Amino acid sequence: MKTLKDPSVIMLVAALVLGAVTRLIGLLGQSIHVDEAHTFLLSSLPWRDMIAALVANDYHPPLFYAITHALLGLGLQHEAYRFFTAPLALITITATWAIARRLFGPAEAGIAAIVIAIDPTAILWDRIYRMYVVLEAVVAVSWWLLIEAENATGRRRAVLWTAFVVCAVVQPYLHYLGIINVFCQALYALPRLRTTWPALASAAASALAFLPWLPNALKQLPGGGLVAGTASLPIEWWTIVRDAVLEGAPLAWIQAPAFDIVVTILAVAMSVWAAWSARRSILPFWLTFAVLEVVLTLVSGKFVAAPRYLLPVLPVFAIGVGQVVNRHLLLPKLRVAAFALGGAIVALLAFCATNVLFDPRYQFADWNIVSAILAQRAHAGDTIVFDQGYSAEALAKETVLRGYASWPVNAPLDVTRAHTWLEQQSSHRVWYIENQFYYVDPDRRVISYLESTRPQLSEWLEPRVELSNRVYVVLFAPERRPSPSPRHKP
């Protein structure tokens, strides 16, 4: 009964309820995401073919695909598989609460749990069937295991370290970012070898376990990490933190010149404040995860610091918010200001979360709309070109596509091939479906070719705040036939 009256436990329960509601509400009604479609497509192949396709056409390690391969035997509709991953956000919430409570106290723990539960970026990405929410949970649990095992004794110590080893081995096979987290945990262990030497042993075990997959990872490396940073899509550094913690921010705010800068400064300050307040704890090393992502991005040219890749570090920010509220910004006289700032942050996160949940402009692309357009307006003999080609996978299970010839533009080389293919379809109407074109067709050569050779009949655009979530659909008539030259009478 005493535990039930603990305010911190009450806040944890509230956070778990919020986390469950925000992750699970309307989950089946949400359109398939292109990443989900790609996951299901590869995972549905026979085992040997799945591994070969993963190495050739993907940039992630195999564990999540192997799990999906097994789960597909259940025969569920694809959207239903989200119920296997979305609830894992509750593990991240609980682990964050437990870590904050141990390092700082109950008030910080309760606030941190609430922040994780209502963070709009976490909500957005946790709701799709992908390895991101799984990695977030494993990373958070692994840090909790580390601080618990460090001071444990007897059988409990053995159990905790065994679980930690499992996490260390699993992380690189879930996502390559897991390698960075294992490295950061090894850094934490180095000056504390007397109590944390098993963390170094775990890192060694993780490296050895990863060796069989390493040749495949090296084959994937050239094409991986190109989600931004290309000439057509430069990295917008000031938007990264906002996208990592505050998806759903109103468009008018985003367009304000100083908004991204203010959000970045506040979020970084909260995280650094948490790490500094517990500088002898795991938090500085956990935050190093994000620092290394930025460094690797600058050094490698790969966008390792993509907003969704920063989500495993979100608990540090959440704990920082709790610290600010409870420690009164170092000065007791600023108690009111600290509570006002903390309350404003929580209110802001909650407001943006409602946008992510209920306003389509702040959500991922809705491929159900595209499917409905094709079902209502496509004619027999129509052809379809997808720019980029992963969009075709999002509609692969739709019966509306059956019977239509299509061409997916999956690489820059496919643009030229698309022109040749379209020439062969000169007598057919063409549906042009565009989403994230900048990866493979940054100059929009495919639609430029269509516009120069065919009349446009209709067009549709899904309005979205984020360019990556916009879908543009255009229907083109058959090619214009040049008028025959008039015959001159002799």
Side-chain angles (χ1 to χ4, degrees), residues 72 84 99 107 111 122 128 166 237 303 342 352 367 377 393-394 425 443 471 483 490:
L72 285 175
F84 288 100
I99 291 169
I111 295 168
I128 68 170
V166 172
W237 287 98
F303 193 25
C352 293
W367 294 101
R377 299 177 179 268
E393 297 178 4
Q425 314 299 321
D443 297 324
V471 179
S483 301

Side-chain angles (χ1 to χ4, degrees), residues 437-448:
F437 63 91
Y438 36 77
Y439 296 134
V440 294
D441 185 18
D443 297 324
R444 304 184 77 204
R445 290 165 53 198
V446 173
I447 193 170
S448 295

Side-chain angles (χ1 to χ4, degrees), residues 95-323:
T96 302
W97 175 86
I99 291 169
R101 185 180 176 88
R102 182 178 180 86
L103 295 180
F104 297 111
E108 291 91 336
I111 295 168
I114 294 292
V115 169
I116 291 291
I118 64 173
D119 182 85
T121 303
I123 292 170
L124 183 71
W125 288 100
D126 290 352
R127 288 169 57 84
I128 68 170
Y129 182 79
R130 198 64 169 154
M131 73 283 292
Y132 306 123
V133 63
V134 186
L135 181 67
E136 294 162 31
V138 173
V139 166
V141 167
S142 70
W143 284 108
W144 175 79
L145 289 169
L146 181 54
I147 61 174
E148 289 292 318
E150 183 177 2
N151 298 309
T153 58
R155 184 176 180 180
R156 184 171 186 269
R157 176 179 172 86
V159 171
L160 290 171
W161 279 122
T162 300
F164 182 83
V165 172
V166 172
C167 288
V169 171
V170 162
Q171 287 176 70
Y173 275 102
L174 271 176
H175 198 289
Y176 293 129
L177 291 176
I179 298 172
I180 300 177
N181 193 59
V182 172
F183 176 75
C184 291
Q185 291 173 336
L187 287 180
Y188 172 79
L190 276 175
R192 303 167 177 83
L193 286 179
R194 187 176 64 83
T195 55
T196 61
W197 65 264
L200 286 181
S202 300
S206 179
L208 289 173
F210 190 72
L211 282 178
W213 182 256
L214 182 59
N216 293 325
L218 294 176
K219 291 177 183 177
Q220 293 175 323
L221 183 62
L226 298 180
V227 294
T230 63
S232 60
L233 189 68
I235 296 175
E236 297 181 3
W237 287 98
W238 283 112
T239 69
I240 292 175
V241 173
R242 184 252 299 164
D243 285 340
V245 300
L246 206 63
E247 282 284 358
L251 183 60
W253 296 4
I254 294 172
Q255 293 174 336
F259 181 75
D260 287 340
I261 297 174
V262 171
V263 170
T264 299
I265 291 173
L266 277 176
V268 171
M270 297 286 182
S271 304
V272 171
W273 167 237
W276 174 255
S277 298
R279 49 191 173 277
R280 291 186 175 87
S281 76
I282 60 171
L283 291 190
F285 297 89
W286 197 348
L287 188 59
T288 301
F289 185 117
V291 175
L292 289 178
E293 287 181 287
V294 173
V295 171
L296 286 173
T297 297
L298 293 171
V299 171
S300 69
K302 308 285 188 179
F303 193 25
V304 186
R308 63 183 179 273
Y309 296 165
L310 291 168
L311 285 175
V313 193
L314 188 62
V316 181
F317 163 73
I319 294 171
V321 176
Q323 272 288 88

Side-chain angles (χ1 to χ4, degrees), residues 60-79:
H60 294 89
L63 181 56
F64 189 75
Y65 295 86
I67 295 171
T68 305
H69 182 83
L71 289 176
L72 285 175
L74 298 174
L76 305 176
Q77 69 177 92
H78 284 171
E79 291 82 356

Side-chain angles (χ1 to χ4, degrees), residues 417-471:
R417 294 172 178 170
H419 290 176
T420 303
W421 181 79
L422 287 169
E423 289 175 357
Q424 299 169 359
Q425 314 299 321
S426 59
S427 61
H428 299 271
R429 300 196 312 173
V430 173
W431 290 87
Y432 172 81
I433 301 178
E434 176 188 279
N435 174 241
Q436 300 180 8
F437 63 91
Y438 36 77
Y439 296 134
V440 294
D441 185 18
D443 297 324
R444 304 184 77 204
R445 290 165 53 198
V446 173
I447 193 170
S448 295
Y449 172 79
L450 287 168
E451 289 173 339
S452 66
T453 58
R454 298 167 178 264
Q456 178 177 313
L457 299 177
S458 303
E459 66 176 351
W460 298 264
L461 175 67
E462 284 191 43
R464 293 292 188 273
V465 170
E466 296 291 343
L467 176 61
S468 61
N469 297 327
R470 297 174 195 166
V471 179

